[in-house]
């Protein structure tokens, strides 16, 4: 506890009975001052309620780490010193199940601000957003007094909210949109725009769910308000599974692109030869592993925030190769391919898998009334980029289009090299932020009475990384895995669950048109999920049997 301020530890140790007794002496007074500091607006401050007292309590903070982009208007705190880097790794203060990782102070997160003008010496920390466990109330209150970490701004402007939305939406899915056109044909491209409209509408529905009652801040909160604890658990598991699957995609992505750059690379280990795909998948895992042990992810936050820039750069390189370097366009193209259209449905669906973060973006905005405009701008820009890449990529490569268009680009061109290396570097900064929410949710389950529970935290994170390597090597099909994720998980998160929660929470308060619209979207999501999942699984099994 004594070094928690300087190290900004992720977890709070609260086992000292003497300190608990000392805290209890002033507990009543503390309660009075604390209660006066709660805002009436649930978008500005989470109110204590039964909606977020169960697992996962770390969801809010972990998703903020995953999605937030550092604000350029904030004062930069300087590059990490050696001491800060050394204290960034998991240490003995690292594993107490009832407190989550705190956000890096150098980044501007998506959390709403906490104002405490009356009691500045008892400023609430980000941990106070989490309700205490029934048996640990005093120790959690004590932790908020002792930490006194630097206050972080939790008011995101319109521009930053748009960038946050784009940073979530515009990911590796953009690499596969030309492949989606190949699988579904030109007519199938209309599915991209249909999903854009439906996803935008369900994003607005999430806002109505959040406004339906005070205290709702995250997607799991909405699930619990709609369907109880079962809803919270189910939605959380689906969201974490989606993040985990994205990490698997990163491993496959690195393996495919690096092996295309160095196709003759291989390694012999005890008589077992690793080809270029296996070798680079293993090397990628070893390079990523230390980053998931970091306690202070602000070391990577500014680099990770370049995801939007990286996507734009890759798009520019594709257009440069096609229009300036004049690689040429293919004449053989498909208008509609019904056989593989379900695969295209999954690929297009994956492009709009940002709903897990939209509640965080909304509750963090300085002007929540502009949330629809933020969504419209984010969806509009990303959809234009998706469509542009899909059209240009398929026109350039035709029926030979790979699951990642970077694999088709001529390797002797400078623009191609820039695109490939940008694609290679970006996942190294995205991976730790994607796996962190999954790891933190599992670390909550560690009993707090273990003296060496930090060992369990390291083992959990290491096991997660190794498991993504195993899955990636077992199913090394980037496009098909993406189609499976888009069909099985994204359809649930993006289309089905927002409508189901909206109907459950606001039943009797909505118009007949809204009911019909939600039922139609649910039907589209269910049909797309069934056909897309079946088609993706069938092709994966078929590819494995070859």
């Amino acid at each position: 506890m004594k070094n928690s301020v300087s190290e900004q530890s992720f977890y709070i140790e609260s086992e000292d009975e003497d300190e608990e007794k000392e805290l209890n002496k002033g507990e009543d007074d503390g309660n009075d001052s604390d209660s006066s500091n709660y805002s009436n607006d649930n978008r500005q401050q989470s109110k204590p309620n039964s909606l977020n007292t169960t697992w996962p309590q770390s969801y809010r903070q972990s998703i903020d780490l995953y999605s937030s982009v550092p604000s350029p208007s904030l004062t930069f705190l300087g590059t990490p010193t050696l001491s800060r880097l050394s204290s960034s790794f998991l240490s003995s203060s690292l594993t107490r199940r009832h407190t989550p990782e705190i956000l890096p102070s150098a980044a501007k997160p998506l959390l709403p601000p906490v104002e405490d003008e009356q009691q500045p010496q008892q400023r609430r920390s980000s941990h106070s957003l989490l309700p205490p466990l029934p048996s640990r109330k005093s120790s959690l209150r004590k932790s908020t007094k002792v930490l006194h970490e630097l206050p972080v701004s939790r008011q995101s402007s319109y521009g930053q909210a748009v960038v946050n939305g784009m940073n979530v939406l515009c990911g590796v899915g953009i690499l596969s949109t030309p492949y989606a056109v190949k699988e579904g044909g030109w007519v199938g491209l209309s599915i991209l725009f249909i999903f854009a409209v439906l996803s935008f509408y369900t994003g607005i529905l999430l806002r109505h769910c959040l406004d339906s009652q005070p205290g709702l801040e995250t997607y799991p909160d909405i699930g619990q308000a709609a369907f109880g604890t079962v809803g919270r658990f189910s939605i959380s598991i689906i969201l974490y599974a989606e993040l985990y699957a994205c990490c698997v995609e990163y491993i496959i992505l690195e393996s495919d692109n690096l092996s295309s750059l160095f196709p003759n690379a291989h390694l012999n280990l005890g008589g077992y030869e690793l080809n270029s795909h296996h070798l680079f998948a293993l090397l990628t895992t070893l390079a990523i592993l230390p980053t998931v042990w970091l306690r202070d992810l602000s070391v990577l936050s500014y680099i990770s925030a370049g995801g939007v820039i990286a996507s734009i750069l890759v798009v520019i390189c594709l257009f440069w190769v096609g229009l300036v370097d004049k690689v040429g366009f293919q004449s053989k193209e498909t208008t509609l391919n019904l056989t593989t259209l379900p695969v295209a449905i999954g690929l297009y669906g994956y492009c709009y898998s940002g709903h897990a973060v939209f509640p965080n973006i909304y509750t963090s905005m300085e002007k929540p009334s502009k949330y629809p405009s933020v969504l419209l701008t984010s969806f509009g820009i990303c959809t234009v980029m998706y469509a542009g890449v899909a059209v240009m990529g398929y026109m350039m490569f035709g029926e030979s289009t790979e699951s990642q268009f970077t694999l088709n680009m001529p390797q002797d061109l400078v623009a191609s090299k820039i695109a490939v290396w940008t694609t290679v570097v970006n996942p190294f900064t995205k991976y730790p932020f994607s796996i962190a929410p999954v790891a933190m949710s599992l670390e909550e389950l560690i009993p707090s009475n273990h003296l060496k529970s930090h060992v369990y935290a390291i083992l959990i994170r290491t096991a997660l990384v190794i498991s993504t390597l195993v899955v990636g090597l077992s199913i090394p099909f980037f496009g098909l895995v993406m189609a499976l994720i888009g069909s099985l998980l994204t359809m649930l998160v993006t289309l089905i669950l927002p409508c189901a929660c909206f109907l459950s929470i606001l039943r009797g308060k909505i118009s007949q048109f809204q009911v019909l619209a939600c039922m139609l979207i649910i039907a589209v999501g269910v049909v797309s999920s069934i056909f897309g999942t079946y088609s993706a699984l069938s092709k994966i099994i078929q590819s494995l049997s070859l």
Side-chain angles (χ1 to χ4, degrees):
M1 284 300 299
K2 294 180 180 179
N3 61 355
S4 59
V5 178
S6 61
E7 293 185 352
Q8 291 192 349
S9 60
F10 278 49
Y11 297 77
I12 301 170
E13 295 188 63
S14 54
E15 304 297 322
D16 195 321
E17 298 298 333
D18 294 335
E19 291 185 15
E20 287 189 11
K21 292 178 181 179
E22 182 179 351
L23 169 73
N24 290 335
K25 294 178 181 179
E27 183 174 319
D28 295 336
D29 296 336
N31 287 340
D32 293 338
S33 62
D34 287 348
S35 61
S36 64
N37 292 322
Y38 278 104
S39 171
N40 292 328
D41 189 347
N42 68 292
R43 291 188 298 270
Q44 301 297 321
Q45 172 73 26
S46 174
K47 294 184 179 182
N49 59 80
S50 60
L51 289 175
N52 53 4
T53 58
T54 55
W55 181 90
Q57 295 185 44
S58 61
Y59 183 86
R60 171 83 200 210
Q61 282 79 1
S62 63
I63 293 298
D64 283 334
L65 284 170
Y66 167 70
S67 62
S68 62
V69 174
S71 172
S73 63
L74 291 181
T75 301
F76 189 63
L77 299 181
T79 55
T81 61
L82 290 177
S83 60
R84 181 181 175 187
L85 284 171
S86 64
S87 67
S88 293
F89 288 89
L90 298 174
S91 65
S92 59
S93 59
L94 207 212
T95 49
R96 292 295 177 259
R97 59 170 296 205
H98 48 276
T99 39
E101 303 181 48
I102 64 173
L103 298 174
S105 57
K108 184 175 183 179
L110 296 178
L111 292 175
V114 179
E115 298 180 358
D116 196 343
E117 298 177 355
Q118 297 179 0
Q119 299 287 340
Q121 72 276 13
Q122 295 181 359
R123 184 184 296 112
R124 290 179 180 273
S125 72
S126 61
H127 303 289
S128 65
L129 293 175
L130 297 179
L133 295 182
S135 61
R136 313 288 296 183
K137 290 181 179 178
S138 60
S139 59
L140 202 56
R141 289 193 194 101
K142 174 197 66 175
S143 66
T144 62
K145 288 185 177 182
V146 176
L147 274 187
H148 298 292
E149 72 264 9
L150 294 175
V152 290
S153 175
R154 296 171 185 171
Q155 294 281 356
S156 61
S157 64
Y158 176 87
Q160 188 182 358
V162 170
V163 174
N164 284 337
M166 291 180 59
N167 194 40
V168 173
L169 287 174
C170 199
V172 296
I174 199 171
L175 300 175
S176 295
T177 51
Y179 180 71
V181 178
K182 171 196 170 185
E183 293 294 298
W186 286 117
V187 176
L189 184 60
S190 61
I191 297 175
L192 176 70
F193 299 100
I194 293 174
F195 281 162
V197 174
L198 298 183
S199 300
F200 170 77
Y201 180 73
T202 55
I204 299 299
L205 295 184
L206 291 178
R207 173 197 180 183
H208 293 306
C209 293
L210 292 170
D211 289 341
S212 64
Q213 56 182 282
L216 299 185
E217 289 190 336
T218 65
Y219 210 145
D221 291 345
I222 294 174
Q224 185 168 1
F227 305 110
T229 304
V230 174
R232 182 181 184 87
F233 286 172
S234 300
I235 288 179
S236 298
I237 291 172
I238 293 172
L239 296 177
Y240 288 137
E242 189 177 37
L243 287 174
Y244 177 86
C246 289
C247 293
V248 174
E249 283 285 80
Y250 291 145
I251 298 295
I252 302 174
L253 175 69
E254 294 295 313
S255 175
D256 289 346
N257 282 275
L258 287 173
S259 61
S260 71
L261 292 173
F262 309 100
N264 297 323
H266 64 279
L267 179 66
N268 291 318
L269 288 176
Y272 182 78
E273 183 173 346
L274 297 176
N275 59 28
S276 58
H277 281 84
H278 292 171
L279 175 61
F280 286 117
L282 178 60
L283 292 178
T284 298
T285 303
L286 293 177
I288 286 175
L289 189 57
T291 65
V292 304
W293 295 337
L294 287 172
R295 290 195 301 120
D296 186 0
L297 289 178
S298 63
V299 175
L300 300 175
S301 61
Y302 281 89
I303 303 176
S304 178
V308 176
I309 299 175
S311 299
I312 295 175
L313 180 59
V314 171
V315 172
I316 293 175
C317 289
L318 175 67
F319 277 79
W320 185 277
V321 169
L323 300 177
V324 178
D325 293 330
K326 298 181 179 179
V327 169
F329 298 98
Q330 301 291 327
S331 57
K332 185 179 179 181
E333 299 170 350
T334 303
T335 303
L336 180 62
N337 191 346
L338 291 176
T339 304
T340 54
L341 182 62
V343 174
I345 291 175
L347 293 173
Y348 289 135
Y350 183 90
C351 294
Y352 299 106
S353 57
H355 282 58
V357 181
F358 289 161
N360 297 53
I361 293 178
Y362 173 60
T363 55
S364 74
M365 291 183 62
E366 183 179 7
K367 297 180 179 179
S369 60
K370 292 186 176 181
Y371 172 76
S373 178
V374 167
L375 278 193
L376 183 61
T377 304
S378 300
F379 272 89
I381 295 175
C382 290
T383 301
V384 169
M385 291 177 61
Y386 285 140
V389 169
V391 172
M392 178 60 70
Y394 186 57
M395 289 179 64
M396 289 172 58
F397 310 122
E399 293 303 308
S400 63
T401 303
E402 299 282 351
S403 60
Q404 307 151 61
F405 68 76
T406 51
L407 302 179
N408 289 103
M409 300 177 72
Q411 296 185 6
D412 58 328
L413 300 177
V414 175
S416 298
K417 295 181 183 296
I418 294 175
V420 173
W421 281 108
T422 301
T423 303
V424 167
V425 172
N426 199 37
F428 282 97
T429 60
K430 292 293 185 182
Y431 189 106
F433 290 95
S434 299
I435 205 67
V438 184
M440 290 170 62
S441 68
L442 296 177
E443 289 162 12
E444 286 185 49
L445 305 177
I446 300 176
S448 60
N449 57 353
H450 282 80
L451 297 179
K452 296 183 179 180
S453 36
H454 65 283
V455 176
Y456 296 99
I458 294 176
L459 290 176
I460 286 174
R461 296 180 179 224
T462 303
L464 284 172
V465 174
I466 294 176
S467 66
T468 59
L469 170 65
V470 173
V471 176
L473 292 178
S474 302
I475 316 175
F477 314 114
F478 183 83
L480 295 179
V481 172
M482 181 177 290
L484 179 62
I485 298 170
S487 300
L488 182 62
L489 298 175
T490 305
M491 292 300 166
L492 282 170
V493 175
T494 301
L495 299 183
I496 299 173
L497 291 176
C499 293
C501 292
F502 178 75
L503 293 175
S504 176
I505 294 176
L506 297 173
R507 58 181 177 272
K509 302 178 182 179
I510 56 179
S511 65
Q512 190 68 24
F513 172 79
Q514 290 174 309
V515 174
L516 293 176
C518 288
M519 295 301 294
L520 177 61
I521 295 175
I522 290 175
V524 171
V526 170
V527 172
S528 299
S529 180
I530 293 174
F531 283 98
T533 301
Y534 175 79
S535 180
L537 284 175
S538 299
K539 283 189 166 294
I540 289 174
I541 295 173
Q542 181 181 357
S543 299
L544 290 173
S545 62
L546 294 179

